[in-house]
Amino acid sequence: MDARSLPAALEMVAGGGAGLSPEKRAALSASLPLLQRDYRFERVWFWGSIQGVRGAYYIAQGLGPDRAALRSCLYSFNCLDWSLLTPAPKEVLALAEQLKGRFQGDPSFQYDLAGTDAEAAARLIEGGKEPVIKEETRLIATIEQIDREVGIVPRGAFVKTALGSVHENRHFEGLSLVEAKKLSSYFHFTKPANLKNKTLLEKADLDPSTDFLDSLEHDFPRGSWSIQLEKGGTVVVLRSLMWLGLTFYHVPMTKQFGYVYFGTGEKNLDLPFML
């Protein structure tokens, strides 16, 4: 969620019981503008936090002109001092996504791959590398995985230009209340995977400038999203049952929307058996 509207946005998603203490909110209000200035980001989002055994990681993301481009991720333990997460190779991130169990809360903590993926550990040893992955790398992988699988935006909130870059839609005035209660009105804010599989007849009704992302209505398993009306029916809230702790909000007929994650960074792999 946008750092500029953080206090009000946190109130919108507070119905799930998760949130930040007044001290943490005050610290974020002071540090995030400085973060944007020091790193020269065009916009800063507060992503949420991942609770570890020894402490919590508070995550912020820095954005450039192209909103769909790779975001810079930073973490903090006190919401004041921020450290930049270094991007890792795709093959390393894929291995990090396979790690199970709670985060420790220590970026330097090392996971031994020999006990989780013997083949991957053997390949690393052959390449002259230690068969270990730092928790810092797992943190990057988890943030990217959550953004990819459940990071969502309302339909029409962003537009794609002829050059392929994605920008905020200045003409977006929010979804109507009727549309806001439909899963088809929300898109995954990541590279589309199912859009190319649509038939020409289905694509004929799409606007390429706004319908360039995958809709939530085809998410698997069915029922992995919970839609609720809160604040007296003035706010639409979507909660992911696949990544427990991910909450998205949108105030119909306004530009107010965003999502935040407060959880342990563990995917609910039992969901298909719970539905």
Side-chain angles (χ1 to χ4, degrees):
M1 52 180 57
D2 197 327
R4 298 176 302 177
S5 58
L6 187 60
L10 288 173
E11 291 295 332
M12 299 293 184
V13 299
L20 296 173
S21 66
E23 292 79 8
K24 290 291 189 295
R25 294 190 187 195
L28 287 173
S29 298
S31 66
L32 291 182
L34 298 177
L35 188 69
Q36 181 175 354
R37 182 201 65 185
D38 294 343
Y39 284 88
R40 298 183 180 180
F41 294 135
E42 187 168 298
R43 190 69 56 82
V44 170
W45 285 355
F46 176 66
W47 185 88
S49 72
I50 293 179
Q51 182 66 46
V53 176
R54 305 173 190 170
Y57 295 101
Y58 297 92
I59 312 298
Q61 293 181 325
L63 291 78
D66 186 354
R67 295 295 190 261
L70 187 64
R71 304 167 203 160
S72 299
C73 294
L74 304 97
Y75 72 91
S76 173
F77 292 109
N78 56 11
C79 295
L80 287 172
D81 304 310
W82 297 89
S83 301
L84 186 65
L85 287 168
T86 306
K90 289 185 178 181
E91 57 273 14
V92 177
L93 292 178
L95 292 175
E97 290 181 3
Q98 300 176 18
L99 298 173
K100 301 293 189 297
R102 292 285 303 275
F103 278 79
Q104 297 300 308
D106 179 7
S108 61
F109 180 82
Q110 294 183 335
Y111 295 89
D112 187 2
L113 287 178
T116 57
D117 192 334
E119 293 183 3
R123 288 196 300 269
L124 290 174
I125 293 174
E126 290 176 0
K129 300 179 180 179
E130 293 186 21
V132 295
I133 289 182
K134 287 187 176 182
E135 183 160 279
E136 186 177 29
T137 303
R138 185 189 177 190
L139 184 62
I140 302 171
T142 302
I143 294 171
E144 291 189 5
Q145 188 178 8
I146 291 175
D147 279 339
R148 183 172 66 251
E149 296 184 3
V150 291
I152 61 177
V153 294
R155 181 181 183 272
F158 292 88
V159 294
K160 188 175 184 179
T161 67
L163 298 177
S165 58
V166 176
H167 303 277
E168 294 172 0
N169 186 0
R170 297 181 180 179
H171 301 289
F172 177 70
E173 295 297 337
L175 301 172
S176 67
L177 182 58
V178 174
E179 292 296 320
K181 292 188 288 185
K182 300 178 181 178
L183 277 181
S184 57
S185 298
Y186 302 95
F187 292 156
H188 289 280
F189 198 41
T190 187
K191 187 177 180 180
N194 300 324
L195 192 62
K196 60 183 179 182
N197 297 327
K198 289 183 178 291
T199 64
L200 292 177
L201 187 60
E202 291 174 322
K203 291 181 179 180
D205 296 328
L206 301 181
D207 184 345
S209 64
T210 56
D211 300 319
F212 58 93
L213 300 170
D214 287 334
S215 170
L216 266 63
E217 61 180 332
H218 301 300
D219 279 13
F220 184 83
R222 295 293 178 89
S224 60
W225 288 97
S226 167
I227 302 181
Q228 298 170 333
L229 291 176
E230 298 187 0
K231 304 291 183 181
T234 60
V235 181
V236 179
V237 174
L238 279 74
R239 292 186 173 90
S240 173
L241 304 181
M242 183 65 75
W243 287 95
L244 298 173
L246 190 286
T247 307
F248 169 89
Y249 82 95
H250 175 49
V251 182
M253 306 304 295
T254 73
K255 296 183 178 182
Q256 300 178 52
F257 68 89
Y259 67 86
V260 68
Y261 178 80
F262 292 108
T264 60
E266 296 174 287
K267 190 174 183 179
N268 183 17
L269 299 177
D270 295 328
L271 179 61
F273 307 99
M274 299 167 64
L275 297 174

